[in-house]
């Protein structure tokens, strides 16, 4: 029997549209913002806070999370621009990290991940790549909380819950 894995996916993709789509969006943005251009297509996950790229805080939290003294995740996946990530973060410090080249849209990357990187029944915990305040303790708490629900509790229809989504909002970041 195949052992199911627990993996983490850090969402760090951004749309990289073709040139015609970029020009069209730029025109639309100019019209929407009275001629003022807002920057479009920047890789915000590599912007630095406190000397480190934003995504490195999330990666550290996910990488350092433990369950009974062992790493919580067998594999950690990030879809982004591999070359840019490797210039910003020493990927050798993260042996369970699997970098995937972002292609096309975020949705296309999700499909690629689903079809190529996980098996049916694997547990996937998903984190946003632009949440620098997350800690290993947060990751462990989220994982433990969902472990008490997934495959155990029933929803309002009486069906066992197999999937759960949660979005955390930090009011003090505004």
């Amino acid at each position: 029997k195949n052992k199911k894995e627990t993996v983490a996916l850090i969402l760090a993709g951004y749309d990289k549209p073709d040139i015609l789509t970029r020009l069209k969006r730029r025109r639309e943005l100019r019209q929407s913002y009275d001629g003022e251009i807002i920057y479009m297509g920047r890789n915000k996950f590599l912007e630095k806070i406190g000397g480190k790229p934003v995504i490195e805080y999330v990666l550290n939290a996910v990488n350092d999370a433990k369950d009974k003294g062992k790493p919580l995740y067998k594999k950690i996946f990030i879809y982004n621009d591999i070359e840019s990530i490797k210039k910003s973060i020493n990927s050798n410090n993260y042996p369970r990290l699997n970098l995937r080249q972002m292609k096309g849209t975020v949705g296309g990357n999700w499909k690629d991940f689903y079809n190529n990187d996980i098996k049916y029944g694997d547990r996937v915990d998903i984190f946003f790549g632009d949440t620098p305040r997350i800690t290993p303790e947060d990751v462990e708490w989220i994982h433990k909380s969902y472990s008490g629900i997934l495959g155990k509790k029933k929803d309002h229809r009486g069906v066992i819950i197999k999937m759960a989504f949660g979005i955390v909002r930090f009011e003090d970041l505004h």
Side-chain angles (χ1 to χ4, degrees), residues 8-9 13-14 26 29 50 58 68 71 73 77 80 90 98 101 103 105 125 128 131 133 150 157 161 167-168 173:
L9 172 62
Y14 57 99
R26 189 166 292 168
L29 287 170
V58 182
K68 298 175 187 157
Y73 301 103
F77 293 91
N80 200 286
N90 184 353
N98 292 269
Q101 182 60 44
K103 307 168 205 147
T105 65
D125 290 351
F128 292 107
T131 52
R133 293 182 57 193
L150 297 172
R157 301 165 298 166
I161 299 169
I167 297 177
V168 178
L173 288 179

Side-chain angles (χ1 to χ4, degrees):
K1 188 175 181 180
N2 289 342
K3 184 168 177 1
K4 303 300 180 197
E5 295 182 348
T6 300
V7 301
L9 172 62
I10 299 174
L11 297 177
Y14 57 99
D15 284 341
K16 289 174 64 177
D18 61 81
I19 187 71
L20 294 176
T21 304
R22 279 199 311 268
L23 291 172
K24 180 181 176 211
R25 285 185 186 169
R26 189 166 292 168
R27 277 193 307 277
E28 290 168 353
L29 287 170
R30 269 194 200 115
Q31 292 167 355
S32 299
Y33 292 93
D34 298 322
E36 192 177 323
I37 298 284
I38 58 173
Y39 194 85
M40 175 176 74
R42 181 168 57 206
N43 195 342
K44 68 180 179 176
F45 305 100
L46 300 180
E47 295 293 319
K48 292 196 176 187
I49 296 178
K52 292 194 311 193
V54 170
I55 197 167
E56 191 169 358
Y57 290 95
V58 182
L59 178 57
N60 285 335
V62 171
N63 188 66
D64 294 346
K66 304 274 190 262
D67 181 27
K68 298 175 187 157
K70 294 182 179 176
L72 192 53
Y73 301 103
K74 182 163 180 153
K75 297 176 186 171
I76 302 167
F77 293 91
I78 296 177
Y79 277 80
N80 200 286
D81 180 59
I82 293 176
E83 186 177 329
S84 299
I85 288 274
K86 285 186 172 185
K87 284 180 184 174
S88 301
I89 296 171
N90 184 353
S91 59
N92 294 327
N93 292 340
Y94 306 95
R96 292 172 287 119
L97 177 61
N98 292 269
L99 293 174
R100 297 291 187 263
Q101 182 60 44
M102 197 186 84
K103 307 168 205 147
T105 65
V106 175
N109 296 319
W110 177 253
K111 184 178 177 184
D112 183 62
F113 172 73
Y114 181 80
N115 289 326
N116 298 308
D117 293 318
I118 58 174
K119 298 177 298 299
Y120 182 78
D122 284 351
R123 161 118 181 222
V124 181
D125 290 351
I126 302 172
F127 301 90
F128 292 107
D130 58 353
T131 52
R133 293 182 57 193
I134 194 167
T135 66
E137 292 78 20
D138 295 330
V139 172
E140 292 163 0
W141 182 85
I142 290 166
H143 183 81
K144 184 178 178 185
S145 296
Y146 282 123
S147 292
I149 297 169
L150 297 172
K152 297 175 183 159
K153 303 264 181 174
K154 293 183 178 180
D155 68 11
H156 66 284
R157 301 165 298 166
V159 177
I160 296 288
I161 299 169
K162 299 286 185 179
M163 184 183 315
F165 290 95
I167 297 177
V168 178
R169 184 171 162 182
F170 294 104
E171 292 295 330
D172 56 340
L173 288 179
H174 297 292

